[in-house]
Amino acid sequence: MADYSTKGSYVEGGKEFVRDTSYVTTRITRDGRDGFTPEAGRYRLVVARACPWAHRAVIARRLLGLEEAISMGMCGPTHDARSWTFDLDPGGRDPVLGYERLQEAYFALDPEYPKGITVPALVDTTTGKLVTNDYPQMTLDLSTEWVDLHREGAPDLYPEPLRDEIDAMARKNFTEVNNGVYRCGFAGSQQAYDAAYDRLFTRLDALEEHLSTRRYLVGDTITEADVRLFTTLVRFDAVYHGHFKCNRQKLTEFPALWAYTRDLFQTPGFGDTTDFVQIKEHYYVVHTDINPTQIVPKGPDVSGFLTPHGREELGGRPFGDGTPPGPPPAAEVVPAEHWVPQG
């Protein structure tokens, strides 16, 4: 069963996992340079709660208050070799696009689309065609190009004076952590795994030190850098520690990183968009090359995410001059037992 969160990526000569980072790079911008401008109701963000790359877009959309401007379609946590599917919807079809598979939006754009069918994806509802699946640029554009449709009090996740620092932090964390866990999990040789493992924990050690004296990664507010790191850290003990053999230590054994992740988890938009049930089902069921039995572990107990974190003592203002987002739309609420399972 192909993993469409990594399809297009490969293991070079049976050695090192290499992620394909070429995407459909069409952008939705205020100046319409690529033929698309922000427009309330025109686009549908297709995600899967299981996917860390899609989770970033879900968080950014919620923090910025774009729920009414950009509708959201939800794929199930597992899929077959062809595509992510809308099996969570009645009749197995997305109610807005009418598709059974996300693949249909890609093929509407290019009938011979050669790469992986990935989430997140922004689809033009007027044509049913994929606009972009360029997830790193997507969240930046939600912050900078959709400002006219942001909620009142939306935070600035990509403040101009800090962009170079945010970009540098995000790049380093992508290579060593976000993608680093995959390099461990899909390593094709012992040597490749050992190298990936060492790089991952070297960076986690550096982040532990960095976050021991500051509340957020860059500046004194939540930024794009925090959104990007969170979606890997929140999955670490549930899947990466065991499933991807990232087992030097658990997240809960890093005092600063664990407190930092709890701090974000307890911030509206982060924990309440996290679905541990779907996360575990995706990784343990889809990755049959790593887990051929498809058995999904019962643990770990993640109720600790709601314990006090004490990070307020470091100062910082989560939303800067803005305000927290309100409750999520009723149709997008993650069942409580999925994001804070008990025992």
Side-chain angles (χ1 to χ4, degrees), residues 257-267 304-309:
L257 276 171
W258 172 224
Y260 164 79
T261 307
R262 299 202 313 278
D263 187 3
L264 290 177
F265 189 91
Q266 294 170 35
T267 300
F305 276 98
L306 290 183
T307 60
H309 53 75

Side-chain angles (χ1 to χ4, degrees), residues 2-300:
D3 174 14
Y4 276 84
S5 64
T6 58
K7 185 173 171 60
S9 309
Y10 57 93
V11 176
E12 180 73 36
K15 296 181 180 179
E16 182 177 356
F17 171 78
V18 177
R19 181 176 296 279
D20 181 357
T21 55
S22 59
Y23 304 100
V24 177
T25 57
T26 306
R27 293 177 61 190
I28 302 169
T29 58
R30 299 174 82 183
D31 63 8
R33 70 193 73 168
D34 291 340
F36 297 94
T37 57
E39 184 180 333
R42 178 174 177 181
Y43 306 99
R44 188 155 177 82
L45 175 65
V46 179
V47 301
R49 291 202 186 276
C51 173
W53 321 106
H55 194 182
R56 297 177 178 187
V58 175
I59 293 171
R61 171 179 172 269
R62 174 123 151 71
L63 295 180
L64 298 171
L66 288 168
E67 294 100 325
E68 292 186 9
I70 306 172
S71 67
M72 188 164 72
M74 195 74 64
C75 296
T78 63
H79 46 69
D80 58 22
R82 290 168 56 194
S83 174
W84 293 91
T85 56
F86 295 101
D87 50 290
L88 300 178
D89 291 308
R93 288 187 178 273
D94 180 87
V96 173
L97 300 172
Y99 292 154
E100 291 182 331
R101 298 173 176 274
L102 179 56
Q103 179 185 64
E104 296 172 65
Y106 280 73
F107 288 169
L109 175 69
D110 178 358
E112 297 182 358
Y113 184 78
K115 294 182 175 291
I117 311 301
T118 60
V119 289
L122 276 168
V123 180
D124 185 348
T125 62
T126 67
T127 64
K129 295 180 180 180
L130 173 76
V131 176
T132 182
N133 64 342
D134 186 356
Y135 69 89
Q137 188 61 50
M138 187 184 299
T139 48
L140 297 181
D141 285 345
L142 291 180
S143 284
T144 60
E145 302 293 337
W146 287 78
V147 289
D148 293 337
L149 293 168
H150 286 182
R151 66 177 174 88
E152 184 178 354
D156 187 352
L157 299 177
Y158 197 47
E160 195 161 357
L162 297 177
R163 287 181 186 178
D164 287 346
E165 190 176 351
I166 291 170
D167 291 345
M169 176 68 70
R171 280 194 300 271
K172 186 70 170 178
N173 288 343
F174 171 77
T175 59
E176 308 306 292
V177 181
N178 302 132
N179 195 47
V181 293
Y182 283 85
R183 284 206 319 272
C184 290
F186 292 110
S189 72
Q190 187 68 50
Q191 182 179 12
Y193 165 75
D194 290 348
Y197 178 99
D198 290 343
R199 286 177 61 181
L200 168 65
F201 283 98
T202 295
R203 182 58 181 168
L204 289 177
D205 287 339
L207 287 168
E208 172 73 12
E209 181 177 0
H210 180 78
L211 288 164
S212 65
T213 57
R214 54 192 303 161
R215 190 169 180 183
Y216 304 112
L217 289 173
V218 179
D220 67 349
T221 65
I222 292 168
T223 68
E224 174 80 14
D226 299 296
V227 173
R228 294 186 180 198
L229 182 60
F230 172 81
T231 61
T232 295
L233 294 182
V234 79
R235 288 162 171 75
F236 198 88
D237 288 2
V239 289
Y240 302 141
H241 178 270
H243 185 57
F244 278 179
K245 307 180 185 70
C246 302
N247 62 355
R248 194 193 78 180
Q249 65 202 92
K250 297 176 181 178
L251 175 69
T252 56
E253 295 166 348
F254 286 94
L257 276 171
W258 172 224
Y260 164 79
T261 307
R262 299 202 313 278
D263 187 3
L264 290 177
F265 189 91
Q266 294 170 35
T267 300
F270 287 85
D272 57 16
T273 60
T274 302
D275 190 319
F276 287 111
V277 171
Q278 291 196 27
I279 287 168
K280 291 199 299 182
E281 186 176 356
H282 170 73
Y283 283 91
Y284 286 101
V285 171
V286 170
H287 298 158
T288 53
D289 49 345
I290 299 175
N291 187 42
T293 64
Q294 299 180 301
I295 293 172
V296 179
K298 293 184 69 174

